[in-house]
Amino acid sequence: MESDASTTSRALATEAVHAGREDLAGLGLHAVPIDLSTTYPSYDSRQEAARIDEFAATGARPQGPPVYARLDNPTTARFETALARLEGAASAVGFASGMAALSAVLLARASQGLRHVVAVRPLYGCSDHLLSAGLLGTEVTWTDPAGVADAIRPETGLVMVETPANPTLAEIDIRALAHSCGSVPLLVDSTFATPVLQRPLEHGARIVLHSATKYLGGHGDVLAGVVACDEEFARVLRQLRFATGGVLHPLSGYLLLRGLSTLPVRMRAAAGTAAELSRRLAADSRVAAVHYPKLGGAMVAFEVHGDPHRVIAGVRLITPAVSLGSVDTLIQHPASISHRIVAEGDRRSAGVSEQLLRMSVGLEDVDDLWADLDGALRGRSARPDRTAVHAEGRTAGPAPDGSARVPSPAVR
Ligand code: PLP
């Protein structure tokens, strides 16, 4: 959705709670309404035909009811407006997941005959895989930031980076890189930074991508992606989203908008704790290296001297799980999980060693987190009551051997 330029001078904390909601008081509402309609009635088929023609020709958001939910939705549009405002973008387009968002960008460029992508490792494992395997008919050249200008060809449609990168937290100078890209659009996956810490468009990037599943949602209960860009590219993305169907669900749009309200506060609180944990880890003899971005943020990566799998098995307060950006702290072993799909050699050369652990710091007390990490680094044994039960509610049921399975309140 296009953002309203007249309100771009407000501070980020103000936009986080007001953008996309300015009309609510006039509607007599305080909370954002959720529109779950999949279709919208109209007694005027000629007018509907004209609106469909207009969308097919331009990709502009339809005025009035969206005709059909794959075309647009008022609740998700509010989230798009808010995110565009936070990123300082003209527009934003929401998708069903971060990977759906990246797929749409790649398809958009490929559909314009620009199938070649220049990318810098590391990227999130599935993004790396999508490019390396050429699943969408694209071709990738991997290089480092200094090699980007030389890697660009006439058919290059995109330069893609993550900064800070998943999982090593390596940082890239966006302005310098944007300069090397010339007229080729630079896409920055800014999932780890969020607009609270970094606004890539202000430094010359043309496209910002988020796995909104992470900090934007912020509570581990929404899968979503979003692209912030100019309105011209947004129109292509909307047409692609309509044709391919990777839409953001309205309930997710609602939860994302709610998540944005607290994003600045959550990021600042978690980043303070992450910075302190990174200092304590750096001073610890059991830890070989700590990676914490100069930019700040709530992610910490560290390499241990001992067995990283024992650390994962030993946490009790911290949740051993992939993903990031939730209110609670998560830890995972990238070589086993988030980057497993990347070929081992490529993983290693991108700095994803077997000793590396990636931690997403949440909102818990720093001393409680440190006590848990300390215990896990000591190699404390895995909880004896840990049971692999995934069903919601974990109701007792017969085990494969026929005996009763007792649900454990300690399983998390
Ligand atoms: N980009 C980054 C940096 C990620 O960490 C992830 C997922 O972990 C993605 C993109 C993909 O997002 P999603 O899981 O929402 O599809």
Side-chain angles (χ1 to χ4, degrees):
M1 187 179 187
E2 266 181 275
S3 73
D4 175 359
S6 66
T7 50
T8 47
S9 58
R10 295 195 301 202
L12 187 110
T14 308
E15 294 290 14
V17 293
H18 286 287
R21 296 88 147 175
E22 282 95 350
D23 60 330
L24 290 183
L27 295 171
L29 298 172
H30 186 230
V32 169
I34 307 175
D35 182 344
L36 292 170
S37 303
T38 52
T39 190
Y40 294 84
S42 168
Y43 292 96
D44 187 344
S45 306
R46 284 193 195 85
Q47 198 193 51
E48 292 292 83
R51 279 146 49 75
I52 290 169
D53 287 350
E54 166 81 7
F55 182 77
T58 68
R61 290 196 60 227
Q63 299 294 314
V67 182
Y68 187 59
R70 190 152 33 74
L71 214 155
D72 198 24
N73 172 274
T75 311
T76 60
R78 289 180 184 279
F79 163 66
E80 292 171 335
T81 299
L83 193 275
R85 203 81 65 65
L86 293 179
E87 285 291 358
S91 301
V93 185
F95 291 89
S97 68
M99 293 314 299
L102 177 57
S103 298
V105 171
L106 295 175
L107 287 171
R109 298 305 281 159
S111 71
Q112 293 162 341
L114 302 167
R115 299 185 168 278
H116 180 241
V117 178
V118 175
V120 176
R121 280 194 169 111
L123 297 179
Y124 164 58
C126 268
S127 304
D128 186 313
H129 173 64
L130 185 63
L131 292 171
S132 297
L135 294 177
L136 298 175
T138 57
E139 185 201 341
V140 65
T141 300
W142 296 103
T143 184
D144 56 19
V148 164
D150 286 345
I152 288 175
R153 309 177 196 159
E155 71 278 18
T156 304
L158 195 70
V159 175
M160 175 172 181
V161 299
E162 274 177 23
T163 182
N166 186 353
T168 61
L169 305 177
E171 290 170 276
I172 289 174
D173 179 340
I174 297 173
R175 190 176 296 283
L177 184 62
H179 189 256
S180 309
C181 294
S183 61
V184 178
L186 169 63
L187 179 153
V188 173
D189 182 328
S190 197
T191 298
F192 280 26
T194 83
V196 176
L197 298 178
Q198 158 179 294
R199 302 195 342 148
L201 301 179
E202 288 174 357
H203 303 290
R206 300 256 296 279
I207 303 167
V208 177
L209 185 139
H210 289 277
S211 167
T213 312
K214 314 300 194 267
Y215 292 103
L216 305 189
H219 295 74
D221 53 8
V222 184
L223 197 66
V226 65
V227 179
C229 55
D230 60 29
E231 172 59 14
E232 190 185 343
F233 192 56
R235 289 179 176 208
V236 182
L237 291 178
R238 284 189 209 107
Q239 288 172 326
L240 249 158
R241 183 178 62 179
F242 178 57
T244 58
V247 294
L248 182 61
H249 191 272
L251 186 57
S252 300
Y254 172 87
L255 289 170
L256 288 169
L257 201 56
R258 189 154 93 163
L260 287 186
S261 310
T262 54
L263 177 67
V265 179
R266 283 187 285 110
M267 279 308 283
R268 273 195 293 274
T273 306
E276 175 58 23
L277 290 177
S278 73
R279 278 191 286 275
R280 295 188 193 184
L281 286 166
D284 195 297
S285 60
R286 296 165 295 187
V287 175
V290 177
H291 308 275
Y292 184 67
K294 288 196 199 70
L295 189 71
M299 300 298 297
V300 180
F302 59 101
E303 290 163 67
V304 290
H305 287 299
D307 179 0
H309 302 286
R310 280 207 74 176
V311 179
I312 297 285
V315 291
R316 298 194 180 167
L317 175 67
I318 298 169
T319 303
V322 74
S323 201
L324 56 121
S326 189
V327 287
D328 60 325
T329 300
L330 310 180
I331 194 165
Q332 63 111 17
H333 182 240
S336 299
I337 306 185
S338 62
H339 290 69
R340 188 68 190 169
I341 199 156
V342 179
E344 192 180 342
D346 295 334
R347 228 170 34 219
R348 280 179 196 274
S349 58
V352 188
S353 77
E354 287 296 316
Q355 299 307 113
L356 186 77
L357 292 165
R358 190 197 74 188
M359 185 165 64
S360 165
V361 177
L363 300 178
E364 302 94 331
D365 178 81
V366 67
D367 291 325
D368 288 339
L369 287 173
W370 179 250
D372 195 38
L373 268 180
D374 179 53
L377 284 165
R378 249 194 343 260
R380 126 179 104 196
S381 53
R383 266 199 308 237
D385 57 359
R386 184 165 295 153
T387 321
V389 180
H390 298 291
E392 195 181 342
R394 298 184 214 98
T395 47
D401 63 0
S403 62
R405 183 187 286 141
V406 181
S408 160
V411 175
R412 350 174 23 239

